[in-house]
Amino acid sequence: MSRFIVMMVAVIVTAANALAQDIAGQTEEKQDSIVLSVNDTIALKDVEVVTMRQLVKTLDDRLSYNVQADPEARTSTVLDMLRKMPLVSVDGEDNVRVNGGGNFKIYKNGHPDPSLSANPREVLRAMPASMIKRIEVITEPGARYDAEGATAILNIVTVESVRIEGVNGTISASINTFGSPNASAYVAARVGKFTLGTTAFYQKQAHRQFASEDETWTTYKDTGTTMYNLYRNEQPAWIYSLDLNASYELDSLNLITASFGGYRYGLHIYGDSYIEYHDAEGQLITSYDNPFDLPHYGFMSWNGRADWEHRTSRKDEVLTASYMFSTTGQHEEQYDSLINLVNPPFAFTSYNKWGKERFIEHTWQLDYQLPLWGHHLLEVGGKYILRLNKSHNRMNYDGAAELDTDTRFKHDMHVGAAYASWRYKVGDVTLRGGLRYEYSHFRASYPNSDGEPFGRDLHDVVPSASVHWQLSPFNSLRLSWATSLNRPGINYLNPAVKRYTSTVEFGNPHLSSARNSMLSINFQHTGSRLTFNVKPTLTITNNLIGTLRTAHDGFVYLTNSNDCRYLMAGVGGFVQWMMTSKTTLYMNGGLTNNGWGGNLYAQLSQQLPWQLRATATCMWYGIGHDLNHVYGYSTMPDPTIMLGLSRSFLKENRLTVRLNANSILHKHQVDKLYVTQGDYVSHGVGRYNQRNVQVSVSYAFGSSNTRVKQTETTVENDDLVGGLRSGN
């Protein structure tokens, strides 16, 4: 932790020094001038004007990262770009966090994309960054966005409108020393008023890439019994995705857009778990091996959208009508054997788990934007969402049929919402305020059991406000306050009991919505050679939906409850500094009171002779003691160091080749997890394969300006926690 604090102090001192130079340079630019008369003849030497391409921009409600200005975007993935995104962190297992937490949603082109939200880790690390224009972090969603679950939104912007005929596209491919290939393609074409774009990618994950080994030591407080667990697994997988986007301009005031897309994901996990128990005196109680095989895990997510945007002759007056249909589903089969049994505490010798879940959603939405007198802008709208969820789970035990379970669960939800948002801009100050009302009704039932159906009606009013002040052309300040909701999804509500050799899991059908409040201050300086951002935040939740862990009789019982209180204070920020005309430093990090943990991403980029570009990257997540639940914390003791080398070829640099060496210092990533409170204490060490070399190639063809047009607003659903689209 001390190393992290020293590094952050060094960054602040360095940034302050560069800021002074930057401001002095800007002052000189304003004051210095050369006056030439028409009769003067002066021979001037070549003058090199050095400035960096601006990657980050602060708007009145969001931060924007210019992906196309990043030279690594040609052969990187969206997940690689998110590692550089201010206020965003991606750990060694590719888990994404925003503002230090996982309570965020993913949008594409301004509206929710279920195929991104369902399994973001798998999709984003396969999606080519060359198809992305910018990534936005909406850290304080206003009244126009759903109150449900959105303390932050990642908006991935892929396209914009132009009026050039032609075809363009990008094809990319990569492979690493694990043997995992990745291929993608993007093509867009425009004929008259009609534009069509398509994106496709495929990735195969070799069995060695995410092979892991975990060791856990647990002590139960009531008896003093200790448990040791050694867990090894490998998980080959594949994923493919297809997206189609189309737009048609009826005339200068009317635009129709439509899209269809999604992905399928398959996974095979197999391995072994060895468990042994000892009593308080150290005598062996029981031990056994648990080989397991999950040959069939499948996940799919598909959605379609249609939008009609109507503009009037009055500037900024826009009416948008939208409809979205989405469906997600998962299917799994797992087989576990129990061998080498010594005094087993259970009667069964093997068990298998089978499960299927399906989520269907229909959404209708209407948005109206109206400029009022002076500099006032009014936004109003309404939405209706119909969600249909169902699941079927079975557990069968050889030798103990009385434990068999077969549970069907059905959960339907109706959500109606109305909002009004007001914006006022005067001079360098922009004020925003909004109010959103949401009514939700849900009903749950058990089709094949005697469980009593239950339902609930909820009424929520969600306010928000912000002030954005452009202090100067180079400095801006934003103060924001926002509230949001988290409604439980089917995975959190489903009461189906899943009993394993040492744990028992089940949902809680009596969960209610959680309410979150967040206050933040954001300062950004934007200069020709130095740009930095600092953002302190405070987040409060009194009834957070969290995991409830209890232990008795040698078992750990896992469910969910609204009993968690959450208070997080933190500060995040980034620095982009052009040290010389060919050297750039980028740093992104944060520190929170979640056990006083933090994260750091730093990259040094150097332009070399022969048009080569070299990068050295340090990723360090899980610094300090990062609370991962109310019972304990996690830490990652070592940073990950990566080296990269790239070069572009052909006309307009259309062909780019990149070589990356990942994790050059450590062959494995090591994570440590601790449980320090509750009915038991434990600590664990996880090791994951990480060192590899990757070669990437990308080629751009055709006209570089053809893009599919998008409406300004469209369907904007925020996903549930504990549902098929929660990203768990």
Side-chain angles (χ1 to χ4, degrees):
M1 190 64 191
S2 60
R3 287 184 291 173
F4 177 67
I5 295 175
V6 170
M7 289 183 351
M8 293 299 288
V9 171
V11 170
I12 294 173
V13 172
T14 303
N17 180 53
L19 174 60
Q21 299 175 5
D22 198 39
I23 293 175
Q26 291 166 359
T27 304
E28 293 172 1
E29 290 171 7
K30 294 179 181 179
Q31 295 177 346
D32 294 346
S33 60
I34 300 175
V35 180
L36 301 178
S37 70
V38 294
N39 296 322
D40 289 336
T41 301
I42 299 178
L44 298 178
K45 295 182 178 180
D46 292 340
V47 177
E48 181 182 14
V49 179
V50 178
T51 185
M52 62 182 176
R53 298 188 68 180
Q54 191 60 42
L55 294 179
V56 180
K57 184 178 181 181
T58 299
L59 304 176
D60 58 358
D61 66 341
R62 68 193 66 193
L63 285 172
S64 177
Y65 186 88
N66 186 353
V67 176
Q68 291 300 307
D70 191 325
E72 289 194 344
R74 286 177 176 266
T75 53
S76 299
T77 69
V78 174
L79 200 66
D80 295 327
M81 296 295 102
L82 285 178
R83 298 183 193 277
K84 303 180 179 184
M85 186 76 204
L87 311 178
V88 178
S89 65
V90 184
D91 65 20
E93 297 180 68
D94 294 340
N95 297 306
V96 182
R97 291 189 177 188
V98 180
N99 280 337
N103 187 20
F104 67 94
K105 306 304 167 190
I106 301 179
Y107 283 25
K108 186 168 71 174
N109 297 323
H111 51 72
D113 191 308
S115 65
L116 289 176
S117 299
N119 273 322
R121 180 173 59 181
E122 284 75 19
V123 178
L124 295 176
R125 70 185 175 200
M127 183 180 294
S130 59
M131 304 172 187
I132 308 304
K133 177 173 179 157
R134 66 180 183 274
I135 302 174
E136 299 173 337
V137 179
I138 306 173
T139 51
E140 296 85 25
R144 188 168 68 87
Y145 299 92
D146 284 348
E148 183 182 344
T151 56
I153 292 173
L154 279 178
N155 183 34
I156 298 174
V157 180
T158 59
V159 291
E160 67 176 359
S161 63
V162 294
R163 296 182 176 276
I164 297 178
E165 301 284 331
V167 177
N168 79 325
T170 302
I171 54 176
S172 304
S174 68
I175 190 168
N176 59 29
T177 50
F178 288 126
S180 299
N182 186 335
S184 63
Y186 168 77
V187 180
R190 181 181 179 92
V191 179
K193 297 181 177 181
F194 180 75
T195 306
L196 177 67
T198 179
T199 304
F201 68 79
Y202 172 81
Q203 182 184 52
K204 183 179 180 181
Q205 176 181 297
H207 66 97
R208 294 183 296 120
Q209 181 161 353
F210 288 93
S212 65
E213 177 182 284
D214 298 89
E215 290 184 278
T216 305
W217 295 264
T218 302
T219 300
Y220 299 93
K221 294 181 178 180
D222 57 346
T223 62
T225 300
T226 61
M227 181 188 74
Y228 170 73
N229 183 13
L230 174 61
Y231 175 92
R232 298 187 180 96
N233 85 93
E234 296 183 358
Q235 41 183 303
W238 55 265
I239 180 173
Y240 67 81
S241 172
L242 177 67
D243 281 284
L244 300 172
N245 298 273
S247 65
Y248 182 74
E249 296 179 77
L250 297 173
D251 51 46
S252 61
L253 301 178
N254 293 278
L255 172 68
I256 296 176
T257 65
S259 64
F260 173 81
Y263 75 99
R264 290 188 64 87
Y265 176 72
L267 179 69
H268 181 192
I269 302 178
Y270 53 90
D272 179 80
S273 178
Y274 171 73
I275 297 176
E276 62 180 25
Y277 286 83
H278 291 83
D279 62 21
E281 285 73 36
Q283 299 298 314
L284 179 66
I285 300 175
T286 182
S287 66
Y288 52 89
D289 277 299
N290 177 198
F292 59 88
D293 187 16
L294 197 160
H296 304 294
Y297 175 84
F299 193 99
M300 67 89 180
S301 177
W302 300 98
N303 65 90
R305 292 181 298 271
D307 301 277
W308 170 60
E309 177 185 270
H310 172 68
R311 295 177 176 271
T312 70
S313 55
R314 186 177 184 180
K315 182 181 178 183
D316 294 330
E317 184 176 11
V318 184
L319 174 67
T320 307
S322 305
Y323 167 75
M324 181 177 74
F325 168 81
S326 64
T327 179
T328 58
Q330 66 180 15
H331 173 234
E332 63 176 331
E333 297 178 41
Q334 180 172 333
Y335 303 92
D336 289 69
S337 301
L338 299 168
I339 60 176
N340 302 324
L341 300 172
V342 177
N343 302 322
F346 39 78
F348 49 91
T349 57
S350 67
Y351 61 90
N352 64 80
K353 178 176 67 173
W354 178 92
K356 181 180 291 187
E357 296 182 351
R358 179 59 59 88
F359 175 96
I360 296 176
E361 181 179 84
H362 300 271
T363 303
W364 295 265
Q365 180 171 322
L366 192 65
D367 298 281
Y368 181 49
Q369 177 179 291
L370 176 66
L372 301 177
W373 59 94
H375 301 279
H376 297 266
L377 182 70
L378 177 66
E379 293 177 303
V380 295
K383 174 187 288 188
Y384 170 66
I385 306 172
L386 172 62
R387 288 175 172 149
L388 307 172
N389 305 264
K390 62 180 180 180
S391 66
H392 184 192
N393 293 275
R394 291 197 304 260
M395 293 287 292
N396 298 105
Y397 302 85
D398 291 338
E402 68 277 4
L403 298 177
D404 290 355
T405 60
D406 188 333
T407 306
R408 295 179 184 267
F409 185 59
K410 184 179 180 182
H411 175 232
D412 298 339
M413 177 176 286
H414 302 261
V415 179
Y419 74 89
S421 177
W422 164 80
R423 187 185 72 181
Y424 175 62
K425 182 175 177 59
V426 53
D428 296 323
V429 178
T430 301
L431 304 176
R432 282 181 176 268
L435 192 65
R436 186 180 185 91
Y437 166 74
E438 292 198 0
Y439 164 76
S440 58
H441 167 78
F442 72 85
R443 180 176 176 81
S445 60
Y446 311 91
N448 69 330
S449 68
D450 297 329
E452 286 293 326
F454 64 94
R456 197 170 303 162
D457 293 281
L458 301 174
H459 302 267
D460 294 288
V461 177
V462 185
S464 61
S466 68
V467 179
H468 183 266
W469 184 12
Q470 194 68 38
L471 301 171
S472 72
F474 314 108
N475 302 304
S476 63
L477 182 68
R478 185 174 73 230
L479 175 64
S480 303
W481 170 65
T483 55
S484 65
L485 305 173
N486 285 117
R487 297 188 183 97
I490 188 171
N491 289 345
Y492 283 8
L493 294 167
N494 189 351
V497 177
K498 301 175 182 177
R499 181 180 296 271
Y500 306 100
T501 57
S502 59
T503 61
V504 179
E505 301 177 6
F506 53 93
N508 181 0
H510 304 293
L511 292 174
S512 59
S513 299
R515 190 179 186 90
N516 317 291
S517 297
M518 185 171 71
L519 181 67
S520 66
I521 302 174
N522 187 63
F523 173 79
Q524 178 160 325
H525 168 78
T526 304
S528 60
R529 302 180 71 95
L530 174 71
T531 294
F532 70 89
N533 177 287
V534 179
K535 182 183 179 183
T537 61
L538 179 66
T539 305
I540 302 173
T541 306
N542 290 323
N543 61 340
L544 180 70
I545 300 175
T547 301
L548 180 65
R549 300 166 182 249
T550 58
H552 54 86
D553 301 327
F555 285 88
V556 175
Y557 295 82
L558 303 175
T559 187
N560 302 286
S561 74
N562 287 103
D563 297 329
C564 301
R565 293 188 177 184
Y566 182 75
L567 173 62
M568 187 195 77
V571 59
F574 70 91
V575 175
Q576 183 190 0
W577 177 26
M578 177 176 280
M579 305 169 67
T580 71
S581 61
K582 297 182 179 181
T583 308
T584 302
L585 174 67
Y586 185 90
M587 301 185 72
N588 177 24
L591 183 68
T592 72
N593 70 336
N594 268 2
W596 296 109
N599 64 84
L600 175 67
Y601 176 95
Q603 184 178 88
L604 187 66
S605 176
Q606 178 67 46
Q607 194 68 40
L608 300 175
W610 307 299
Q611 298 182 333
L612 291 171
R613 182 172 175 271
T615 57
T617 304
C618 172
M619 297 188 301
W620 198 0
Y621 301 106
I623 303 172
H625 292 177
D626 183 20
L627 295 181
N628 53 10
H629 48 70
V630 296
Y631 299 96
Y633 62 91
S634 63
T635 183
M636 183 189 299
D638 301 312
T640 299
I641 306 298
M642 302 185 298
L643 299 178
L645 190 65
S646 64
R647 192 185 191 283
S648 295
F649 302 87
L650 305 183
K651 184 180 179 181
E652 299 178 348
N653 292 327
R654 290 178 177 267
L655 177 67
T656 301
V657 180
R658 184 180 176 192
L659 177 68
N660 274 345
N662 301 314
S663 191
I664 61 174
L665 298 183
H666 305 95
K667 183 178 180 180
H668 299 96
Q669 174 196 317
V670 177
D671 292 339
K672 297 183 178 181
L673 293 91
Y674 299 85
V675 174
T676 57
Q677 303 182 76
D679 298 337
Y680 65 97
V681 295
S682 73
H683 67 279
V685 179
R687 301 174 184 87
Y688 310 89
N689 285 346
Q690 186 164 277
R691 179 179 294 166
N692 72 93
V693 176
Q694 183 180 52
V695 178
S696 306
V697 180
S698 176
Y699 176 71
F701 60 89
S703 169
S704 60
N705 293 316
T706 302
R707 295 291 187 270
V708 179
K709 198 164 187 178
Q710 299 288 331
T711 57
E712 281 194 0
T713 61
T714 184
V715 176
E716 295 165 335
N717 292 350
D718 293 322
D719 305 327
L720 304 171
V721 294
L724 288 183
R725 298 188 297 138
S726 65
N728 289 339

